Amino acid sequence: MSTLAGVVLAISSVVAAPAASADIPGKDEIVKSPNISHLANIPKEGPFANVNALNSDWAFQGKYAFGGNYEGFTIYDISKPATPKVVTQVHCPGAQNDVSISGNLLFLSTDRSMSDDSCQAVPMPATEKAAWEGIKIFDISDVRNPRYVKAVETKCGSHTNTLVPGKKGTAYIYVSSYSPSDTFPDCKPPHDLISIVKVPLKNPTAAAVISEPVLFPNGGNPGDPAGTPWPNGTSATSGCHDLTAYPAKNLMAGACMGDGVLFDISNPEKPTTITSVRDDENFAFWHSATFNNKANKIVFTDELGGGGAATCNTTIGPEKGANAIYDIVGKGAKRKLEFRSYYKIPRPNADTENCVAHNGSLIPVKGKDIMVQAWYQGGISIYDFTDSSKPKEIGWFDRGTFADTLVTGGSWSAYYYNGYIYSNDIQKGLDVLQIKDKATDKGARVKLDELNAQSQPDYFDQD
């Protein structure tokens, strides 16, 4: 663990938006819509600077941003968004190190089989019974010196984690994981479940798995057979990739490989399925989900190619590797999901750019549904889906290809927090953006003390 000085790069001049594939920006060239300002960039540092040390997800609290990386996590001071600074880097390897925050605690997902639960562990085959994967808990009351306080092992590790507030000083961590194997002692099929970790916030050393609810008692989507020609084929459901809770509405949206699901979490220890949908024609891998603020729509993402392929091109087209927007219709246990449209960024990308729909969050504008979203090397897109049948882009930011060959890069997560967009670029580090547009300006008035994008707040306390 070390405290490092932040270095803010000067931002080069930008060029006009590319009009056609011939105008795809050059290597590292920045292009953007006129309503976007690129305020700052802090490159990856120290052990995180390696090309294999991928930046991942975000959580926010007060004046701090917490950025995951396959080698650990970084805490940034964002009190002055145009001049952010690195406060602390915690070196604790264990892909993919997604983060969530609750009070003085940070929860870190380890989805790599390691020799033990320490931050000095090394990779170990999942076929070994002694291998460890799961949730690590840090005390961040002193942001300059986070303290590792607890580890909780979970089946198949923790690819992502979702924080669901409980009562009387309790939080629940919903752990998503997948890809079981008969050869893995702690991750055998069928893996149709999630793990729920109960955390007493004032006594985190007592955190433990309290249940492993089976969400797909009928096995979920069986998927297409191996060998289905690219880019066709839907993943079999063997767990969930990502869960987005909306605690104020007692709802949760699940992106579960071959299924998109709406859950009731009124009893956070016993989530129940309300309804589910499939799209075997165009969705390969249900990856993540975002509610609109009224909780009558869900944007699901399809991570075609696992985030490592070039899918933003005319060969793949506009309906694969895209978002699917669904309306939630009906009431109570009779609610259903009805498909309305796809949304995919309209700009072509080079064949050396991994590009597909990825993590984003709402921009809180009352009466509107506006989202900012990461698209890996496709950059960042801001779009309005108030009319769920006709989503439209209103702003964007992009860099040219990271390398001359296809290397995993680009924006992993782009979230809106207290008036600014924070992007965790896999290779380039922290980017801070600001959008100034009549469609989004009111969003800057909404201030939060804490944001976990997978635990959505009700921005306007709507009934």
Side-chain angles (χ1 to χ4, degrees):
M1 177 181 335
S2 61
T3 302
L4 304 172
V7 179
V8 180
L9 297 183
I11 306 304
S12 60
S13 60
V14 300
V15 299
S21 58
D23 297 313
I24 292 173
K27 186 176 179 180
D28 283 341
E29 183 180 14
I30 291 175
V31 292
K32 62 185 184 64
S33 57
N35 56 357
I36 296 288
S37 297
H38 186 195
L39 301 182
N41 171 264
I42 297 182
K44 299 191 299 183
E45 302 176 354
F48 295 17
N50 188 286
V51 71
N52 294 317
L54 311 184
N55 274 342
S56 58
D57 212 1
W58 281 122
F60 302 89
Q61 186 181 78
K63 66 177 185 178
Y64 299 107
F66 301 79
N69 179 284
Y70 277 45
E71 290 293 315
F73 63 93
T74 302
I75 303 176
Y76 299 91
D77 182 336
I78 55 172
S79 56
K80 297 179 180 179
T83 55
K85 292 179 171 60
V86 174
V87 176
T88 307
Q89 241 183 20
V90 176
H91 189 223
C92 194
Q96 57 189 22
N97 280 339
D98 277 13
V99 290
S100 291
I101 299 284
S102 182
N104 290 329
L105 300 179
L106 178 146
F107 305 97
L108 194 69
S109 286
T110 299
D111 191 33
R112 177 188 293 159
S113 296
M114 306 297 286
S115 55
D116 55 52
D117 62 9
S118 75
C119 287
Q120 292 73 47
V122 296
M124 174 181 280
T127 53
E128 298 292 329
K129 178 62 178 174
W132 184 91
E133 299 178 77
I135 289 285
K136 294 170 180 156
I137 304 175
F138 289 81
D139 184 324
I140 54 168
S141 52
D142 179 358
V143 293
R144 296 187 177 278
N145 188 32
R147 185 168 54 90
Y148 184 14
V149 296
K150 176 69 174 181
V152 180
E153 188 169 15
T154 56
K155 288 182 178 178
C156 300
S158 174
H159 194 70
T160 60
N161 74 80
T162 300
L163 188 141
V164 178
K167 296 180 180 179
K168 299 179 181 179
T170 298
Y172 297 95
I173 305 300
Y174 286 17
V175 176
S176 298
S177 56
Y178 58 95
S179 294
S181 169
D182 286 324
T183 65
F184 299 163
D186 299 317
C187 182
K188 291 183 177 293
H191 183 71
D192 299 323
L193 56 84
I194 61 171
S195 298
I196 300 180
V197 178
K198 187 175 183 178
V199 184
L201 296 176
K202 292 184 178 180
N203 182 24
T205 57
V209 174
I210 59 160
S211 63
E212 294 171 338
V214 174
L215 304 181
F216 304 97
N218 297 322
N221 194 332
D224 289 311
T228 300
W230 168 265
N232 301 307
T234 296
S235 297
T237 298
S238 60
C240 290
H241 179 279
D242 219 319
L243 300 167
T244 296
Y246 197 161
K249 306 293 187 183
N250 289 323
L251 293 175
M252 183 168 70
C256 300
M257 304 180 70
D259 293 272
V261 192
L262 179 65
F263 297 99
D264 181 327
I265 56 169
S266 52
N267 181 344
E269 296 188 5
K270 296 180 179 180
T272 59
T273 299
I274 298 172
T275 189
S276 62
V277 289
R278 295 176 182 172
D279 182 351
D280 292 345
E281 180 178 358
N282 285 314
F283 256 47
F285 189 92
W286 296 73
H287 173 274
S288 53
T290 303
F291 289 97
N292 68 332
N293 198 70
K294 288 184 178 180
N296 59 11
K297 301 172 188 173
I298 302 175
V299 178
F300 287 104
T301 70
D302 172 25
E303 196 184 40
L304 172 67
T311 75
C312 298
N313 52 42
T314 55
T315 302
I316 302 301
E319 296 183 343
K320 293 180 183 291
N323 296 331
I325 302 171
Y326 286 79
D327 284 354
I328 303 173
V329 299
K331 295 182 179 180
K334 295 184 178 181
R335 281 172 284 193
K336 300 293 182 184
L337 294 168
E338 292 189 358
F339 173 78
R340 292 292 181 258
S341 65
Y342 296 107
Y343 173 79
K344 192 171 182 179
I345 57 172
R347 288 164 301 287
N349 273 233
D351 290 339
T352 53
E353 293 181 287
N354 60 301
C355 174
V356 76
H358 215 238
N359 294 348
S361 73
L362 295 183
I363 296 179
V365 179
K366 197 167 187 176
K368 296 288 185 180
D369 299 323
I370 300 175
M371 184 171 174
V372 58
Q373 185 179 0
W375 290 77
Y376 287 118
Q377 288 196 70
I380 296 163
S381 179
I382 300 99
Y383 60 97
D384 186 326
F385 64 103
T386 306
D387 182 344
S388 53
S389 296
K390 296 180 180 179
K392 59 182 180 180
E393 185 172 73
I394 58 177
W396 56 275
F397 171 88
D398 192 15
R399 283 189 176 91
T401 184
F402 172 71
D404 296 328
T405 57
L406 204 161
V407 175
T408 300
S411 181
W412 179 292
S413 296
Y415 299 146
Y416 189 89
Y417 178 68
N418 293 350
Y420 298 87
I421 296 166
Y422 297 90
S423 167
N424 214 14
D425 188 289
I426 292 168
Q427 301 295 350
K428 292 294 185 179
L430 163 67
D431 283 309
V432 184
L433 310 177
Q434 186 176 31
I435 181 169
K436 292 186 177 181
D437 190 285
K438 64 181 181 179
T440 61
D441 287 346
K442 290 181 180 179
R445 301 175 187 175
V446 178
K447 303 298 182 183
L448 300 177
D449 296 324
E450 192 170 274
L451 176 65
N452 300 293
Q454 287 75 39
S455 184
Q456 283 191 225
D458 185 342
Y459 288 103
F460 307 110
D461 296 323
Q462 298 176 18
D463 295 327

